[in-house]
Amino acid sequence: MTVQQSKISDTNNPLHTHYPRYFDIDMRYCEGANNHQKGVNRTRLTVLITIRFSIVTPGIIRWLYGINHRLALEHLNRLEKDGLLRVVKTHRSPDGRVYVPTYTAAKFAEEIMGINIHFRANKNPALQFNQNYVMHNLINAFVMLRGLHNYHSDETYAPMWTGFITEPEFKRINNLSDTRTVDGAVLLPDGSIAAIEVEHSFKNKTARQVILLKYLASLKNGDYSKVFLFSQSVKIFDDIKRLHEQLFTELTERYDKKTRAPLLSESDAELLHSSIIFRTKLCEEINEMFYQ
């Protein structure tokens, strides 16, 4: 199903005017018929990943291209030598390093995507990304790419989604204060849109309440029709579910001082309950790739 055939039809929602061009970017890895084509395909995709997620690591490359660590390093170091990437050593990455894009990479990606890229190079490449979010951003990149590269046990291609928009891209096109900036959004095979959220740490009830109310505003606004949660830990999922159940009850009994209406109506609570989906499918893979 193409984006044109999808359910992205709300022209009054500013997000929906931007979604298609991001969903249409081909992020699926195809090996190529020979070594030359393989190299071209890998260069193209690695640059797109680095531009769209702001960083990439040997671990992501090793998994995506089905190669060993040495070959993943060789690939990334070759792109660094070609002036497309710069390396930053950091203990925040499972690989002890990340690679960030250069201005040349931004121009290359701009040609491929047909989208203007707001890129700011820095003399110190370590200042091009927030080190506090390295692990989160890498897991996010893995989840989005993993959903696109999904196969049945008989090797039949069965993508969980057909395209995505990343968190930096979502932030760029979204200036609505009541819309929670999610970790990304994906176009599902049936044409509907789901938000992607990576939950790799525990949050308290107050934080969960703020998040729930933002989800509600976005769901009602049609920014997306469901929210997929991913994590490396089933325990984190269990804790989220526990807090959600408490909040679904408490917020229907608490009233807004201005409107005197409940903070959450019964139908709102039901909408949230049915729209937030815990995806345990990748828990073990995320844990194995990033925490072991």
Side-chain angles (χ1 to χ4, degrees):
M1 176 178 287
T2 66
V3 172
Q4 285 72 28
Q5 295 170 308
S6 77
K7 299 174 184 176
I8 307 176
S9 57
D10 185 359
T11 54
N12 293 321
N13 185 319
L15 290 176
H16 287 238
T17 63
H18 294 283
Y19 279 150
R21 56 184 183 158
Y22 290 100
F23 289 155
D24 279 342
I25 300 169
D26 182 8
M27 298 296 289
R28 186 181 173 191
Y29 174 56
C30 297
E31 194 166 270
N34 51 55
N35 286 337
H36 171 72
Q37 194 58 52
K38 184 187 295 184
V40 170
N41 290 351
R42 288 180 180 177
T43 295
R44 174 192 174 279
L45 190 51
T46 299
V47 168
L48 286 179
I49 291 168
T50 314
I51 283 292
R52 298 191 71 188
F53 292 98
S54 74
I55 56 175
V56 74
T57 59
I60 295 286
I61 296 303
R62 184 177 68 243
W63 159 75
L64 184 58
Y65 300 153
I67 57 181
N68 61 33
H69 184 72
R70 178 182 64 81
L71 290 176
L73 273 177
E74 283 182 9
H75 168 69
L76 290 167
N77 290 336
R78 191 179 307 116
L79 295 187
E80 182 186 14
K81 185 179 178 181
D82 291 342
L84 292 165
L85 303 180
R86 292 200 291 176
V87 65
V88 178
K89 301 290 181 65
T90 172
H91 69 279
R92 303 295 181 99
S93 165
D95 294 292
R97 61 175 63 198
V98 299
Y99 290 79
V100 299
T102 62
Y103 179 77
T104 303
K107 291 289 113 182
F108 179 44
E110 209 167 59
E111 289 178 15
I112 297 170
M113 299 190 296
I115 299 172
N116 290 331
I117 295 170
H118 303 279
F119 180 79
R120 285 186 181 179
N122 198 300
K123 288 183 179 180
N124 180 359
L127 299 178
Q128 281 185 211
F129 62 97
N130 188 330
Q131 301 234 5
N132 294 326
Y133 295 104
V134 166
M135 186 69 92
H136 179 273
N137 291 350
L138 290 175
I139 296 173
N140 197 27
F142 170 70
V143 166
M144 290 203 169
L145 290 164
R146 174 64 179 80
L148 204 60
H149 295 83
N150 191 57
Y151 295 82
H152 289 314
S153 56
D154 63 358
E155 297 189 1
T156 304
Y157 184 49
M160 296 161 66
W161 41 79
T162 58
F164 58 73
I165 181 169
T166 67
E167 182 179 16
E169 292 163 347
F170 193 93
K171 282 181 178 177
R172 200 169 299 126
I173 67 173
N174 174 31
N175 57 6
L176 304 175
S177 60
D178 62 342
T179 302
R180 172 172 163 77
T181 297
V182 288
D183 294 332
V186 295
L187 178 65
L188 303 182
D190 69 356
S192 61
I193 299 167
I196 296 290
E197 289 277 67
V198 169
E199 297 287 357
H200 64 105
S201 61
F202 292 92
K203 293 184 175 72
N204 60 34
K205 188 189 286 188
T206 302
R208 282 283 155 218
Q209 176 179 325
V210 172
I211 291 170
L212 276 178
L213 293 177
K214 292 279 188 179
Y215 284 160
L216 181 63
S218 288
L219 287 165
K220 284 185 166 183
N221 197 46
D223 298 339
Y224 38 79
S225 60
K226 52 183 78 74
V227 182
F228 288 163
L229 300 188
F230 290 89
S231 179
Q232 82 283 4
S233 169
V234 175
K235 290 183 179 178
I236 290 176
F237 277 168
D238 290 341
D239 190 62
I240 294 172
K241 290 175 184 176
R242 176 182 63 83
L243 292 176
H244 280 187
E245 288 305 318
Q246 292 178 15
L247 287 165
F248 289 154
T249 300
E250 292 174 13
L251 294 180
T252 55
E253 297 172 353
R254 283 164 50 191
Y255 293 83
D256 185 296
K257 292 180 180 177
K258 292 182 179 178
T259 64
R260 297 185 180 180
L263 289 176
L264 211 64
S265 68
E266 294 288 348
S267 60
D268 288 341
E270 179 54 39
L271 175 61
L272 286 168
H273 182 75
S274 62
S275 301
I276 298 174
I277 300 164
F278 295 83
R279 303 297 299 262
T280 58
K281 177 180 173 69
L282 301 184
C283 282
E284 288 185 16
E285 290 183 41
I286 295 170
N287 187 51
E288 183 178 335
M289 189 163 176
F290 295 98
Y291 291 93
Q292 292 181 6

